[in-house]
Amino acid sequence: MPDGPGHYPSAAATGRSKPSRIALVDVNSFYVSCERVFDPSLAGVPVVVLSNNDGCVVARSNEAKALGIPLGEPWFKISAQAPRWGLIQRSSNYELYGDLSSRAMELMGRFAAWQEVYSIDESFLGLAGSPQSLQDQGGGIRAAMALHTGLPVCVGIAPTKTLAKFANRVAKQNPAMGGVCNLDTMPGAQIDHIMSRVPVTGVWGVASRLGKRLNAIGVFTIADLRAANPLLMRRKFSVLLQRTILELRGVPCIELETERTDKKQMIFSRSFSTPVTTLAGMHQVMSLYAQAAAMRLSRAKQLAHSMTVFAGTSPFHRTASSFPSVTVRLPAPTADPVVLTRAAVGALERHLEEGVPYARAGVMLTDLSPAGFQPQLDVFVSVHERRNIGALLGEVTEKYGAGSIGLGRAGLCAPADWTMSRRYSSPRYTTEWDELAIVKAN
C-alpha cells in the first residue's frame, strides 16, 4: 500500500536500485498522429485509419471518436456518411508508421537509464529524481517528441509498470495535466478517488472476459482490485493477477523484458484485395509469403523445424468453400528461402483447386530454435543457406523496399492484382525518395 498520501514505497524499501520510477510514454492516436505529421490539414478534423484492404477502422482521432465511430467498424457502413461528417479516411501506411515509431523510440531512449519498447507506440523508461524533477522530465520528453518527430505523447510516471500505465491513462483523460501524470505529485485521496471510478478492465492486463469474472465476485473497479487479497486472487485466478494487485499497491513485480528471441512460432498471413483463382497465382502467393517468413527468421537469427501452409475462401462466399491446411516437417532446421519456398508450394499445391476464389493464405513456421545453437552436419545445410540468401533478401528489401527482390515467381516485376488494396494511402514520406514531402516557401 502507499506509504502515505500520494507516496509509494521507495526504491530502497522495495529492494530495487535506481532508477526508482518508471515512465510509460505513449503516442496519442499513433496511426492518426503519423498521418498528421506531414499533412497539417488533418489537424482538428475527424480522421480514421483503415485495416488491410481498407476493411475496418483500426484507429480514430478524438474527433472521430466524438462522432461515435467504434473500432472495428466496417468502412462500407460509414463511407456514405463520411462527406457529411467531414470524415477523412486513410489506408494503413505501415512503412510510414514503422519508420516514425523507430525514430520516436530512439528519441525516448535518450531520456532514460533503461528502455523497454512495449509496442509500436509505447515505451517504458527508467527514470530517477525527485517528484518535481520527474514531472519536469516528463514535460521534456513531450516537448522533444513534438519538436523532433511531430508526434504528441502522454507520460505516466509511477513506481511500477501497472501504475505507470494507469498514470498514462489519467494524463490522457485530463488535459489540464498537460500530458504528464506523476502519481508521486498527487494526493493519495485523489488517486483513490480516480481508481474507484475506473472499471477494473481499465487496468493493464485485465481484459473483458477476466473483467466479467471479477465482476461476479464483486470486483468492479481498480480500487476494488487493489484492495483484494493477493493470495486469494492467485488461487482463484492466476499469479499474473496477484502481481497486478501488488503492482497497484506500488510493489514492483513485472520486471524489465528484453526483446524476445525465443519465439516458438512465426506467421506471415494476409488477405487478398482480389481473390486468387488460379494455381499459378497461388504459387506466386506462397512463394512471396515463404520468402517473407524466411527474411523474418534471418532477422531473428532463428531456424524453423516445421511449416504449416494454409489458404481459404471468404466465409461469406455463397458457393465456394475451401480451407486447405498442411503441416510439413522440414528435412533439417532452416531459414533458407529456397527450401522454405519449395516446401510451401509443394505442400499446398496438391490441395488447391483451379477456379476456387481464395481470399487469404499464410505460412506459419513452428518449432523454432536459435541459429547456430546446435551445429548442423554439412550434408543438411543447403548451398543457399551457406551463402546467407535469406539475410541478403532482407537487406535488399530493407534498402530498396518491398517487391525489390524475390526468388522465382516471387521476383516477378509486375505487381500482382491480388496484393493489398490501399486506395486511400498517404505517401511514404520518410522511406521512399519518390514520395518525399514537398515544401513550398511563399
Side-chain angles (χ1 to χ4, degrees):
M1 295 293 289
D3 292 341
H7 295 281
Y8 287 83
S10 65
T14 60
R16 285 168 61 96
S17 58
K18 288 186 176 182
S20 60
R21 289 297 181 258
I22 297 173
L24 189 280
V25 185
D26 181 19
V27 182
N28 302 334
S29 303
F30 178 65
Y31 286 1
V32 172
S33 294
C34 289
E35 296 288 348
R36 285 173 166 171
V37 167
F38 293 97
D39 189 351
S41 69
L42 298 179
V45 301
V47 180
V48 294
V49 176
L50 306 176
S51 63
N52 292 346
N53 297 316
D54 300 329
C56 302
V57 173
V58 294
R60 307 159 295 167
S61 67
N62 288 334
E63 296 81 5
K65 294 176 185 178
L67 291 173
I69 299 172
L71 278 178
E73 183 76 356
W75 172 242
F76 75 86
K77 287 188 175 182
I78 58 175
S79 57
Q81 302 292 332
R84 183 168 63 85
W85 292 338
L87 179 66
I88 305 297
Q89 75 278 11
R90 288 287 185 267
S91 301
S92 294
N93 189 340
Y94 296 117
E95 294 92 336
L96 176 65
Y97 307 155
D99 186 63
L100 288 182
S101 173
S102 297
R103 298 179 186 215
M105 297 306 156
E106 190 277 331
L107 180 59
M108 291 178 196
R110 300 181 191 179
F111 291 84
W114 58 258
Q115 178 182 22
E116 177 190 331
V117 177
Y118 180 66
S119 68
I120 192 172
D121 60 345
E122 293 177 278
S123 187
F124 288 108
L125 305 178
L127 304 178
S130 66
Q132 185 56 52
S133 70
L134 291 172
Q135 186 77 19
D136 294 341
Q137 288 178 59
I141 292 171
R142 275 177 50 82
M145 289 291 294
L147 176 64
H148 296 294
T149 69
L151 297 172
V153 302
C154 282
V155 184
I157 303 171
T160 71
K161 285 184 175 181
T162 303
L163 284 172
K165 291 277 282 187
F166 169 74
N168 187 279
R169 176 191 176 112
V170 174
K172 282 187 175 182
Q173 297 184 351
N174 293 273
M177 288 186 165
V180 181
C181 175
N182 179 5
L183 293 188
D184 285 329
T185 64
M186 297 176 62
Q190 184 180 5
I191 297 173
D192 295 342
H193 176 71
I194 296 173
M195 286 188 171
S196 68
R197 295 173 61 86
V198 180
V200 69
T201 50
V203 72
W204 184 37
V206 178
S208 58
R209 181 177 299 180
L210 177 57
K212 291 177 181 177
R213 294 177 62 196
L214 289 169
N215 291 167
I217 62 171
V219 177
F220 295 98
T221 68
I222 295 179
D224 294 336
L225 183 61
R226 185 183 61 173
N229 185 312
L231 294 177
L232 180 61
M233 299 300 277
R234 175 175 178 164
R235 287 196 294 267
K236 280 183 171 290
F237 296 94
S238 69
V239 67
L240 297 179
L241 191 61
Q242 178 193 29
R243 290 173 182 168
T244 297
I245 295 171
L246 293 175
E247 288 245 327
L248 287 173
R249 297 180 179 186
V251 180
C253 298
I254 304 175
E255 297 299 325
L256 170 68
E257 295 181 8
T258 56
E259 184 177 357
R260 288 187 59 188
T261 58
D262 61 340
K263 295 179 181 178
K264 298 304 180 185
Q265 66 179 26
M266 192 171 292
I267 301 175
F268 193 95
S269 174
R270 295 288 188 275
S271 298
F272 311 142
S273 60
T274 302
V276 178
T277 59
T278 66
L279 295 181
M282 288 301 293
H283 188 158
Q284 183 186 18
V285 169
M286 301 315 301
S287 298
L288 284 164
Y289 289 8
Q291 290 170 40
M295 285 186 275
R296 289 185 179 180
L297 278 178
S298 295
R299 285 197 295 269
K301 294 181 172 56
Q302 290 187 302
L303 304 176
H305 295 237
S306 298
M307 168 189 282
T308 298
V309 287
F310 55 90
T313 54
S314 169
F316 305 105
H317 200 281
R318 295 180 179 178
T319 57
S321 179
S322 179
F323 302 92
S325 176
V326 183
T327 299
V328 295
R329 187 72 176 177
L330 300 169
T334 184
D336 180 5
V338 177
V339 172
L340 294 176
T341 298
R342 287 174 178 168
V345 172
L348 200 57
E349 65 181 356
R350 295 188 299 275
H351 301 270
L352 298 173
E353 301 176 52
E354 189 80 28
V356 172
Y358 292 102
R360 69 188 312 269
V363 172
M364 180 170 66
L365 302 174
T366 53
D367 195 9
L368 306 187
S369 62
F373 180 74
Q374 191 171 21
Q376 293 177 255
L377 297 175
D378 286 346
V379 69
F380 293 115
V381 181
S382 69
V383 63
H384 319 101
E385 204 142 20
R386 289 196 191 95
R387 295 174 180 173
N388 291 319
I389 298 298
L392 175 63
L393 291 178
E395 291 172 7
V396 173
T397 300
E398 185 175 349
K399 186 172 183 179
Y400 296 104
S404 57
I405 190 172
L407 303 174
R409 290 179 182 268
L412 297 177
C413 293
D417 58 5
W418 48 262
T419 51
M420 187 170 63
S421 173
R422 299 166 68 176
R423 290 171 293 172
Y424 314 113
S425 183
S426 56
R428 296 164 293 181
Y429 297 103
T430 62
T431 57
E432 294 293 326
W433 285 108
D434 296 338
E435 300 178 23
L436 290 177
I438 299 175
V439 179
K440 298 179 181 179
N442 294 326

